[in-house]
């Protein structure tokens, strides 16, 4: 084979470190972005948080919705914080292709190479980002207002409540220790999941069988004491026992009809599947109720009991959703409109450390100058990429509000079908970019707070040839169920027929799928007793 030279033209996409960081920041949630900012503040000495109230330089937020000419792709590079090397692809397409992982993509080295531009002079991008966001501090006016998470954690736990009751019991040291051990073995709902034998074996190990039997006996006595404490039903080893404990407490207090209470106790002795299915015909003879009316009364009594005694003591970690975008109603009547703005509370206020940048500028020839210059450029790109992240969120949010204006006026029944491609084509972005923007980002609206993905939904055909949003159909199903007769609940077939009368073609299986998504029970379980 003869050696030879050949010329071949090809194109490929290479993602710069700046573009990789921009794509990654775009898909982060508010909490994840806050953690990323804190990590960058710790790692990069040239980046600092600006807590002053000085006005910031605007980074083009008002121009975020300015249409971009088809032949002007320079704005695409700015939108994602870096240009992709190669030809025939914009940065927006690069963001989408990066998610798909094309064969020709160069993801860069493990350690990003933040190549500087050779200058350490101050750049316009060195000004702070997010200056409109007020510093989060507790003022004198807020001293009387507790944080939601602090309020959730301020309540007494179930174990503390039970330990406090146990102090009033006059028990021996061993019995008190056994009671305390059982209290600590309860789950959050107040149930004792493990058998007494397993608890005794885990505590005593492989000891003498007589000692193990003695320990089980002490646990049995302690369990009876535990089940006598408040809340009623605590210490139960299953749902049936929990309900029976509460019914016996009502019987001891002589509350309610004694016959109904006895029937309810017998129902708890039967398989709970029959109670869940409300099988009155089978339960009546099994419980010796005498009549179906008494069985229904007993089932109604059971329905009023608490299946989870420890529910009100559970320490709930309240995840308060902080919206990224705020939609406000402006004007009235025909002049009604909606303004879309970023939430200043989620916008980090960052800037380049002027002292360190000035020191680096005065030490151009020093050792390690190139490495420090790269860290300075990294800080600048980080500020710019965060700005572009919020710019993109704002653009997408405004496009969603324009498309779903009827929802903001009339509610979810007026939701229109919308897919990612509609917004992507309108803004000149890739669908994967829209997917990143709408994931874990929230919008506060006059109708409530929703994830941006909530406004997207497939369409169902109508008799007029149009489309109805699946979100609107689910809202319509919820409306039908809320207005149904408790004695004759609507079946899935009946709901499908009612939707057809509204001009919406929806199969019974689709109705069942939407009903299950709304957590609505089937018709036989919704039927009143």
């Amino acid at each position: 084979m003869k050696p030879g030279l050949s010329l071949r033209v090809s194109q490929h996409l290479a993602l710069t470190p700046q573009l990789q960081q921009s794509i990654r920041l775009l898909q982060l949630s508010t909490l994840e972005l806050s953690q990323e900012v804190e990590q960058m503040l710790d790692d990069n000495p040239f980046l600092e948080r600006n807590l002053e109230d000085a006005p910031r330089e605007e980074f083009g937020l008002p121009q975020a919705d300015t249409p971009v000419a088809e032949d002007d792709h320079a704005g695409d590079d700015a939108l994602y914080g870096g240009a992709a090397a190669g030809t025939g692809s914009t940065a927006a397409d690069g963001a989408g292709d990066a998610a798909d992982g094309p064969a020709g993509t160069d993801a860069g080295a493990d350690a990003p190479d933040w190549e500087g531009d050779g200058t350490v002079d101050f750049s316009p991008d060195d000004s702070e980002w997010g200056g409109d966001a007020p510093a989060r501090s507790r003022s004198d006016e807020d001293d009387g207002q507790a944080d939601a998470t602090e309020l959730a954690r301020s309540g007494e736990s179930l174990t503390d409540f039970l330990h406090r009751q146990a102090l009033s019991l006059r028990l021996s040291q061993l019995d008190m220790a056994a009671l305390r051990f059982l209290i600590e073995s309860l789950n959050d709902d107040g149930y004792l999941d493990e058998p007494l034998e397993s608890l005794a074996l885990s505590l005593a190990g492989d000891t003498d069988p007589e000692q193990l039997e003695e320990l089980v006996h002490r646990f049995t006595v302690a369990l009876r004491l535990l089940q006598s404490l408040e809340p009623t039903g605590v210490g139960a080893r299953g749902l049936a026992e929990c309900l029976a404990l509460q019914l016996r407490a009502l019987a001891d207090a002589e509350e309610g009809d004694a016959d109904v209470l006895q029937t309810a106790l017998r129902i708890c002795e039967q398989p709970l599947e029959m109670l869940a299915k409300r099988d009155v015909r089978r339960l009546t003879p099994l419980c010796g109720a005498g009549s179906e009316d008494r069985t229904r009364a007993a089932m109604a009594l059971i329905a009023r009991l608490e299946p989870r005694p420890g529910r009100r003591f559970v320490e709930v970690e309240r995840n308060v959703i902080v919206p990224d975008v705020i939609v406000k109603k402006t004007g009235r009547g025909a002049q009604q409109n909606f303004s879309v703005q970023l939430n200043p509370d989620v916008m980090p206020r960052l800037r380049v450390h002027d002292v360190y940048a000035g020191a680096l500028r005065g030490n151009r020839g020093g050792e390690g100058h190139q490495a420090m210059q790269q860290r300075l450029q990294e800080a600048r790109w980080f500020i710019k990429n965060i700005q572009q992240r919020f710019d993109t969120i704002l653009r997408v949010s405004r496009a969603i509000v324009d498309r779903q204006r009827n929802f903001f006026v009339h509610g979810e029944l007026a939701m229109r079908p919308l897919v990612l491609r509609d917004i992507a084509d309108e803004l000149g972005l890739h669908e994967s970019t829209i997917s990143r923007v709408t994931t874990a980002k929230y919008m506060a609206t006059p109708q409530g707070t929703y994830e941006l993905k909530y406004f997207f939904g497939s369409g169902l055909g109508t008799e007029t040839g149009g489309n109805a949003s699946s979100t609107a159909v689910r809202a319509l199903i919820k409306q039908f169920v809320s207005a149904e007769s408790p004695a004759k609940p609507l079946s899935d077939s009946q709901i499908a027929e009612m939707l057809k009368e509204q001009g919406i073609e929806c199969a019974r299986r689709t109705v069942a799928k939407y009903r299950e998504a709304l957590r609505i029970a089937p018709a036989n379980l919704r039927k009143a007793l």
Side-chain angles (χ1 to χ4, degrees), residues 21 35 43 86 89 99 115 131 144 158 190 204 207 228 246 370 394 471 493:
Q21 185 188 69
Q35 295 172 349
D43 295 342
S89 299
E115 296 181 358
L158 176 63
T207 59
S228 66
Q246 298 179 57
Q370 183 64 25
L394 184 62
T471 304
S493 299

Side-chain angles (χ1 to χ4, degrees), residues 222-289:
L223 180 61
R224 293 181 187 145
L225 294 172
L226 174 60
Q227 293 178 349
S228 66
L229 302 179
E230 293 290 336
T232 307
V234 70
R237 287 159 290 183
L239 178 59
E241 185 178 10
C242 177
L243 299 176
L245 289 172
Q246 298 179 57
L247 290 171
R248 292 192 187 99
L250 292 176
D252 294 340
E254 298 182 356
E255 296 182 7
D257 190 340
D259 294 334
V260 173
L261 283 171
Q262 290 300 320
T263 303
L265 282 170
R266 295 191 187 100
I267 289 176
C268 293
E269 297 173 357
Q270 306 301 323
L272 293 182
E273 289 78 6
M274 288 191 289
L275 176 62
K277 295 179 180 179
R278 303 182 181 185
D279 196 344
V280 178
R281 291 186 178 180
R282 292 180 59 189
L283 285 173
T284 299
L286 288 174
C287 300

Side-chain angles (χ1 to χ4, degrees), residues 158-451:
L158 176 63
T159 54
D160 293 341
F161 183 65
L162 293 173
H163 282 316
R164 185 161 52 84
Q165 294 181 72
L167 293 175
S168 61
L169 301 178
R170 302 182 62 180
L171 302 175
S172 64
Q173 188 175 0
L174 291 177
D175 289 337
M176 179 63 74
L179 178 58
R180 286 182 173 274
F181 185 80
L182 292 184
I183 291 175
E184 294 294 335
S185 301
L186 298 175
N187 62 17
D188 291 339
D189 293 331
Y191 285 89
L192 190 65
D193 293 329
E194 297 186 51
L196 297 181
E197 293 78 7
S198 299
L199 292 174
L201 188 61
S202 64
L203 184 62
D206 295 332
T207 59
D208 184 29
E210 294 184 359
Q211 295 181 358
L212 188 62
E213 184 179 354
E214 174 66 19
L215 187 56
V216 172
H217 174 70
R218 289 193 178 275
F219 277 161
T220 303
V221 175
L223 180 61
R224 293 181 187 145
L225 294 172
L226 174 60
Q227 293 178 349
S228 66
L229 302 179
E230 293 290 336
T232 307
V234 70
R237 287 159 290 183
L239 178 59
E241 185 178 10
C242 177
L243 299 176
L245 289 172
Q246 298 179 57
L247 290 171
R248 292 192 187 99
L250 292 176
D252 294 340
E254 298 182 356
E255 296 182 7
D257 190 340
D259 294 334
V260 173
L261 283 171
Q262 290 300 320
T263 303
L265 282 170
R266 295 191 187 100
I267 289 176
C268 293
E269 297 173 357
Q270 306 301 323
L272 293 182
E273 289 78 6
M274 288 191 289
L275 176 62
K277 295 179 180 179
R278 303 182 181 185
D279 196 344
V280 178
R281 291 186 178 180
R282 292 180 59 189
L283 285 173
T284 299
L286 288 174
C287 300
S291 65
E292 293 186 357
D293 291 338
R294 180 178 296 177
T295 304
R296 291 191 181 93
M299 294 172 67
L301 175 62
I302 294 175
R304 294 195 296 268
L305 302 178
E306 174 56 74
R308 292 186 289 175
R311 186 203 306 263
R312 62 188 177 97
F313 295 94
V314 176
E315 182 181 46
V316 180
E317 185 68 28
R318 300 185 181 181
N319 296 320
V320 180
I321 295 177
V322 180
D324 299 84
V325 182
I326 299 175
V327 179
K328 295 182 179 180
K329 185 184 300 184
T330 59
R332 294 183 179 180
Q335 303 298 326
Q336 181 174 305
N337 207 340
F338 297 92
S339 64
V340 184
Q341 62 184 12
L342 295 171
N343 184 3
D345 290 340
V346 302
M347 296 160 59
R349 305 175 62 191
L350 303 174
R351 69 179 180 184
V352 171
H353 202 297
D354 53 355
V355 176
Y356 293 164
L360 180 62
R361 179 176 53 179
N363 187 22
R364 292 180 181 270
E367 185 177 354
H369 171 269
Q370 183 64 25
M372 297 305 295
Q373 195 273 337
Q374 290 181 4
R375 299 307 300 270
L376 174 60
Q377 188 69 12
E378 178 185 355
R380 289 174 174 171
W381 275 113
F382 187 74
I383 294 174
K384 188 175 183 180
N385 287 338
I386 287 182
Q387 171 221 341
Q388 291 156 0
R389 174 188 186 272
F390 284 100
D391 285 351
T392 308
I393 292 175
L394 184 62
R395 292 182 64 199
V396 173
S397 299
R398 285 179 172 171
I400 291 174
V401 172
D402 290 341
R403 290 293 189 103
Q404 299 289 7
R405 187 179 184 279
N406 290 336
F407 165 80
F408 296 98
V409 177
H410 303 291
E412 57 184 357
L413 286 174
M415 186 79 79
R416 294 176 53 189
L418 184 65
V419 294
L420 297 177
R421 177 169 296 184
D422 297 336
I423 301 298
D425 293 343
E426 179 179 342
L427 300 180
L429 304 176
H430 197 275
E431 287 185 51
S432 62
T433 303
I434 306 301
S435 178
R436 291 186 181 96
V437 172
T438 56
T439 301
K441 315 296 188 305
Y442 294 88
M443 177 186 293
T445 73
Q447 301 289 344
T449 301
Y450 303 92
E451 188 180 11

Side-chain angles (χ1 to χ4, degrees), residues 6 27 36 106 110 119 196 218 257 278 342 457 465 500 507:
S6 63
Q27 65 187 6
E36 185 77 13
D106 181 10
D110 294 337
T119 178
L196 297 181
R218 289 193 178 275
D257 190 340
R278 303 182 181 185
L342 295 171
K500 190 174 182 179

